[in-house]
Amino acid sequence: MLIRPRALLRTRLMSNCMVIRNDSSPRPLALARPFTFHKSKRAPFVHFVLSNGAYPPVLKARQKQKQSCVYMVQERFSSASAMSNLDYQLEENLSRPPRKRHLCYYYSQGLCTLENDPNHLEKFTHDYPDLSVGSLELKKLQPQPFQYYLVLDLEGMVEILEFPVVMIDTTTLKVVDRFHRFVRPIKMSEARIDEYIEGKYGRWGLDRVWHDTAIPFTKVLKQFEHWMAKHGIWDARQDCKLKHAAFVTCGNWDVKTKIPQQCATSSISLPTYFFEWVNLKDIYLNFYQRRAGGMLAMLRGLQIPMAGTHHVGLDDAHNIARVLQRIIIDGGVVKITAKRSVKNPSEVKFRFKNRV
């Protein structure tokens, strides 16, 4: 007996029914419109526990190549009449699962005008991922060479598309502040930009916010310098390296390669505060004595679940910051791993013998 979703929705379900999975674990599974189930390699079974104690039928969800689900009712009753006389009613308190709210990327750039709009807050959140650290975890902290670490993770291969920074206090491991901007390329045509952004951010629904907020790299740097000056870690009058702070990246590419390329594309000189940085992969390798090829490998090695969306710069910066926090909690010292020559900025000296 096959029941299509619409017919199934019209069926009245019996009281005090419960939905469980085929592993017989009592995990509630809310029924939403259209009648959907969590995806899994094994087709989920849905048991309706009837108030009269009868052994329930089982609905097996099958999905075929983007077609609508068809539900197979496997009869567990002694006669067909027993099946025809069933009258189901879904338990009233079986509600829909809470919708996952994504971070508002207008808010992360200080541009959201709907902070008090309930409809907006129903879909998006203004709460960043939780990077809090318990007091007991701070007992093993070693003195760090810097008071602040600026976790940077750029996005964009042709030109920089996203410039996010998460500022971590090394004594409390708390997030002091965040800086986040989308960056508009200057050498690419508008048609190429549209195609590029659709491929990069369209799958996550971020292409619109990118087009609404992206600004040229030179303006991003000016705003970033104002942000650093506000926190007292850079002085525009001296135009020197950072004070009591250092950039932390997942690899050397961000600061060693991409920022100089973007500065050349934007016809500006490379700022001196980008002359040294920390490659967290080298710190991870030398502290834990095991190699990790990237952010996901470090998260897996430390059994830290990934938060947010991979390859969205701000989300990746938060995840890299969590790896940084764990290394410091475990007693690691985060030192500069690479430094440019003052006379020849293209020349980079690496401080660690063992490098990724």
Side-chain angles (χ1 to χ4, degrees):
M1 176 179 177
L2 294 178
I3 299 182
R4 298 272 175 186
R6 287 186 178 179
L8 190 59
L9 285 174
R10 288 196 299 266
T11 304
R12 290 183 300 117
L13 300 176
M14 204 161 195
S15 60
N16 70 2
C17 79
M18 178 178 222
V19 184
I20 61 177
R21 291 184 62 88
N22 53 0
D23 57 2
S24 299
S25 60
R27 295 164 62 185
L29 183 60
L31 307 182
R33 296 178 183 174
F35 207 80
T36 58
F37 296 90
H38 295 300
K39 294 179 180 179
S40 104
K41 293 182 179 179
R42 300 178 61 190
F45 287 85
V46 182
H47 294 247
F48 293 97
V49 182
L50 307 178
S51 59
N52 61 4
Y55 196 84
V58 181
L59 286 80
K60 184 178 180 181
R62 294 178 179 174
Q63 189 167 8
K64 299 181 180 179
Q65 298 181 358
K66 299 183 180 179
Q67 297 178 359
S68 61
C69 289
V70 177
Y71 301 90
M72 175 72 77
V73 176
Q74 298 178 346
E75 186 175 353
R76 296 298 183 92
F77 293 86
S78 58
S79 64
S81 59
M83 173 70 78
S84 61
N85 292 330
L86 286 177
D87 190 10
Y88 305 106
Q89 184 175 1
L90 185 64
E91 188 180 43
E92 294 181 359
N93 63 357
L94 189 62
S95 59
R96 296 183 182 183
R99 176 185 294 176
K100 180 181 178 181
R101 295 188 302 161
H102 296 283
L103 177 64
C104 174
Y105 289 97
Y106 293 96
Y107 175 79
S108 66
Q109 300 176 83
L111 300 174
C112 184
T113 59
L114 302 174
E115 295 186 43
N116 298 319
D117 187 335
N119 293 327
H120 172 73
L121 296 178
E122 184 179 351
K123 299 178 181 178
F124 301 96
T125 180
H126 292 169
D127 296 326
Y128 293 105
D130 184 16
L131 271 69
S132 60
V133 176
S135 58
L136 295 178
E137 296 178 299
L138 302 177
K139 290 186 176 181
K140 294 183 180 180
L141 298 192
Q142 300 294 323
Q144 300 295 323
F146 301 96
Q147 184 178 355
Y148 304 106
Y149 287 121
L150 306 181
V151 180
L152 170 68
D153 190 76
L154 303 176
E155 292 294 332
M157 297 300 295
V158 180
E159 291 190 47
I160 295 176
L161 302 177
E162 189 177 356
F163 190 101
V165 175
V166 177
M167 185 177 185
I168 301 291
D169 188 313
T170 60
T171 57
T172 64
L173 297 185
K174 292 182 178 180
V175 176
V176 178
D177 201 358
R178 297 168 179 84
F179 179 87
H180 183 222
R181 296 292 184 274
F182 287 115
V183 186
R184 178 171 292 278
I186 60 173
K187 294 294 180 70
M188 299 170 61
S189 66
E190 287 300 319
R192 180 71 180 98
I193 290 176
D194 291 343
E195 179 184 0
Y196 195 23
I197 297 306
E198 174 63 26
K200 171 66 178 174
Y201 292 113
R203 52 185 162 171
W204 302 308
L206 298 179
D207 48 336
R208 178 178 175 182
V209 62
W210 188 95
H211 283 291
D212 286 348
T213 63
I215 57 177
F217 182 70
T218 52
K219 290 187 177 181
V220 171
L221 277 190
K222 287 182 180 179
Q223 294 181 10
F224 181 58
E225 289 173 353
H226 177 75
W227 180 85
M228 291 192 296
K230 180 183 70 173
H231 289 290
I233 58 176
W234 182 76
D235 191 341
R237 295 171 296 181
Q238 297 181 5
D239 190 25
C240 58
K241 65 179 184 179
L242 301 181
K243 297 180 179 179
H244 316 296
F247 287 103
V248 175
T249 59
C250 183
N252 293 307
W253 177 84
D254 300 78
V255 182
K256 176 182 179 292
T257 303
K258 196 59 201 175
I259 286 182
Q261 289 178 353
Q262 186 64 59
C263 288
T265 300
S266 302
S267 302
I268 60 175
S269 59
L270 179 66
T272 54
Y273 49 77
F274 287 126
F275 273 36
E276 61 182 22
W277 64 92
V278 177
N279 177 0
L280 198 61
K281 291 193 291 187
D282 288 348
I283 300 294
Y284 182 96
L285 169 62
N286 286 272
F287 180 68
Y288 292 113
Q289 296 299 306
R290 60 177 183 262
R291 185 177 296 269
M295 180 195 77
L296 294 179
M298 291 190 289
L299 289 171
R300 285 194 299 266
L302 298 175
Q303 297 182 345
I304 300 174
M306 190 188 76
T309 304
H310 190 27
H311 293 310
V312 173
L314 184 59
D315 291 353
D316 284 350
H318 282 122
N319 285 306
I320 297 168
R322 294 162 76 202
V323 174
L324 171 67
Q325 289 176 320
R326 176 64 64 82
I327 291 174
I328 296 176
I329 287 172
D330 290 344
V333 177
V334 181
K335 302 177 181 179
I336 292 293
T337 61
K339 191 170 184 177
R340 298 184 186 276
S341 170
V342 177
K343 295 182 179 180
N344 183 14
S346 61
E347 180 183 338
V348 177
K349 294 184 178 180
F350 299 100
R351 301 290 186 85
F352 283 43
K353 182 179 180 180
N354 296 325
R355 298 190 295 112
V356 176

